Amino acid sequence: MSLDACSKVASEAIGAFLGYLNVQSQSGNHEAVIRAYRCLPSIVRQLKDRNRFVIDLMAAHACVMVGNNLMATEILTGQATELDEPTAFIDYLKPFSGITLITSLMPMRHEIQRLAVNSWRSYGALVLSINSGDEIELLRDIYPDVTFVSAPRDARREYGKPYVYMADMISALNHSDHEIVGVINSDIVLSSSNLPFLREIKHAARHCIVYGHRFDVDSIKEIATKPDEGELFVDGIDWFMFPRERADLLASQPFIFGCPWWDLWLPVLASINKLEICLANGKLAFHETHKQRWDPDIFSDFGQVVLREIATVGNRGLLGYGARLLADFAEACGSEVQFGLEPARFAGRLAEFIKALIQKGRLAINEV
């Protein structure tokens, strides 16, 4: 076989190998990409082939996604890239670097929470968790890469569990060194190989409140092997990102993280303060389905709190469009349930009304 024929066969083999890596990368199966790359003969890595260089980039990407920055740097060192330094490429692959995310970890379900925290950190985010002092003692050793914040109070007297208040959670973000901050539920796993989409989210969060809906799956493992699986959940919102300088505008509220309504109230607060909200309309957040744990009575009670909160707002002419409509609705309802509806049924209708207002007034970033 001639040298040209050998080169052609080698190039075709590398192309096929690249195709395999692309499928695994798009599926979020980064460990498979790394294993396959390690099996490449050293002579193949020395070939001056464009696809071979792309293979290096994909392997470096996979290493960054699993937190192995050292191997990523080793792969890229000495490569004739357009980037000045391998570290620049690593930063490029961490689109949420410069973002602080806060949650409240539970002293249970550690496997799924560990996956969630790792996924946020793999994109470069700094992770905070606000908890009561006794919970921090239980969690600190399990999550050594999380910075814990001691909650100044909790809701165990009212609701029997040490839920933290949203006001304290958002106030804690004021101490972040990052310009962009966010709130996320502790069991939400972020997984996407569409890095331009993630960078758009970060860019938008510099000037407005970005949020997204999750996809429910039977098992988180499905997102690696079946990325098209999952059912979109639109009845709630599981994560927000926004400018740190606007955090104070979102902190004044009585709602509780881990209970209903906090997620619907943040967009209402945004409308009260005339802040833009933006839906990140793509497949990024995944949630393993489980039985809901909150008390339906809490849902009804906080529905009444929503009406009372909006009624305390002063000059309606200063409100955003959605908040004005909600204020009119609250005034029509009065301070208590009317129309002969049971509290839970009324709260359900109120929630649907707020979701419609959010949908009507928001911007959107669409994943391509």
Side-chain angles (χ1 to χ4, degrees):
M1 183 180 291
S2 67
L3 182 60
D4 288 343
C6 289
S7 298
K8 182 180 179 181
V9 170
S11 181
E12 290 175 352
I14 291 174
F17 185 77
L18 176 60
Y20 169 79
L21 293 189
N22 188 53
V23 170
Q24 299 303 320
S25 180
Q26 291 294 324
S27 299
N29 197 355
H30 306 299
E31 293 286 359
V33 173
I34 296 170
R35 286 195 302 270
Y37 183 78
R38 283 174 168 161
C39 291
L40 274 180
S42 59
I43 191 172
V44 175
R45 297 196 184 105
Q46 298 171 18
L47 292 174
K48 302 299 182 182
D49 183 274
R50 182 179 180 279
N51 282 340
R52 197 276 309 156
F53 173 63
V54 174
I55 287 171
D56 284 348
L57 295 184
M58 293 186 69
H61 174 209
C63 291
V64 171
M65 295 303 289
V66 300
N68 192 341
N69 289 349
L70 178 61
M71 183 176 174
T73 303
E74 290 174 349
I75 291 172
L76 294 170
T77 298
Q79 299 298 330
T81 73
E82 296 179 1
L83 302 167
D84 295 331
E85 298 289 341
T87 52
F89 183 73
I90 292 174
D91 290 340
Y92 174 82
L93 292 172
K94 289 198 168 188
F96 290 163
S97 62
I99 295 177
T100 296
L101 294 179
I102 194 167
T103 190
S104 185
L105 291 166
M106 302 176 287
M108 62 180 73
R109 303 187 67 216
H110 296 303
E111 182 179 4
I112 192 67
Q113 289 187 145
R114 183 76 260 168
L115 290 172
V117 169
N118 285 345
S119 73
W120 313 338
R121 294 185 68 253
S122 72
Y123 289 119
L126 174 68
V127 180
L128 308 181
S129 180
I130 182 168
N131 294 85
S132 63
D134 50 348
E135 282 193 334
I136 290 176
E137 290 303 312
L138 296 173
L139 294 166
R140 196 192 306 273
D141 292 341
I142 302 174
Y143 303 92
D145 45 9
V146 172
T147 300
F148 285 93
V149 179
S150 182
R153 54 181 172 159
D154 62 58
R156 74 182 81 197
R157 179 177 297 179
E158 297 88 344
Y159 299 105
K161 293 183 179 180
Y163 296 124
V164 297
Y165 285 85
M166 283 298 300
D168 298 330
M169 175 176 270
I170 294 179
S171 294
L173 291 171
N174 283 323
H175 302 291
S176 171
D177 294 330
H178 295 150
E179 295 181 1
I180 301 172
V181 294
V183 178
I184 188 167
N185 275 324
S186 66
D187 59 352
I188 295 299
V189 174
L190 301 181
S191 179
S192 174
S193 59
N194 191 336
L195 299 184
F197 174 58
L198 304 189
R199 284 190 289 274
E200 282 192 61
I201 290 173
K202 180 179 179 180
H203 177 74
R206 296 184 187 280
H207 54 81
C208 67
I209 298 175
V210 184
Y211 70 95
H213 295 294
R214 75 189 191 220
F215 285 80
D216 281 332
V217 293
D218 293 331
S219 170
I220 285 297
K221 295 178 181 178
E222 292 181 10
I223 65 178
T225 58
K226 302 176 183 177
D228 294 330
E229 293 293 318
E231 182 177 352
L232 180 64
F233 181 83
V234 295
D235 286 338
I237 302 171
D238 286 271
W239 64 268
F240 295 85
M241 294 181 191
F242 45 88
R244 187 197 62 213
E245 64 182 15
R246 303 300 183 101
D248 284 341
L249 299 176
L250 305 176
S252 179
Q253 55 167 302
F255 297 95
I256 295 171
F257 188 76
C259 291
W261 293 99
W262 73 266
D263 55 331
L264 296 183
W265 186 247
L266 279 186
V268 172
L269 270 182
S271 184
I272 288 173
N273 292 285
K274 289 191 172 180
L275 301 177
E276 294 278 14
I277 62 172
C278 180
L279 169 65
N281 191 23
K283 213 160 189 181
L284 170 62
F286 294 86
H287 173 259
E288 195 168 273
T289 54
H290 60 86
K291 185 178 180 180
Q292 292 291 347
R293 293 181 173 84
W294 47 265
D295 188 334
D297 289 339
I298 297 177
F299 178 71
S300 302
D301 292 344
F302 274 111
Q304 291 295 317
V305 173
V306 168
L307 295 181
R308 290 196 290 272
E309 283 292 304
I310 198 70
T312 64
V313 177
N315 188 344
R316 291 189 190 177
L318 299 178
L319 301 179
Y321 176 73
R324 287 202 306 273
L325 289 183
L326 182 58
D328 292 341
F329 182 82
E331 183 179 48
C333 294
S335 59
E336 299 297 333
V337 175
Q338 293 189 7
F339 313 125
L341 295 176
E342 295 178 355
R345 190 176 175 194
F346 175 81
R349 290 194 178 183
L350 177 61
E352 291 302 319
F353 180 59
I354 292 176
K355 284 184 280 188
L357 292 179
I358 295 170
Q359 179 72 11
K360 185 176 180 63
R362 53 96 173 142
L363 305 173
I365 303 168
N366 294 311
E367 183 176 18
V368 177

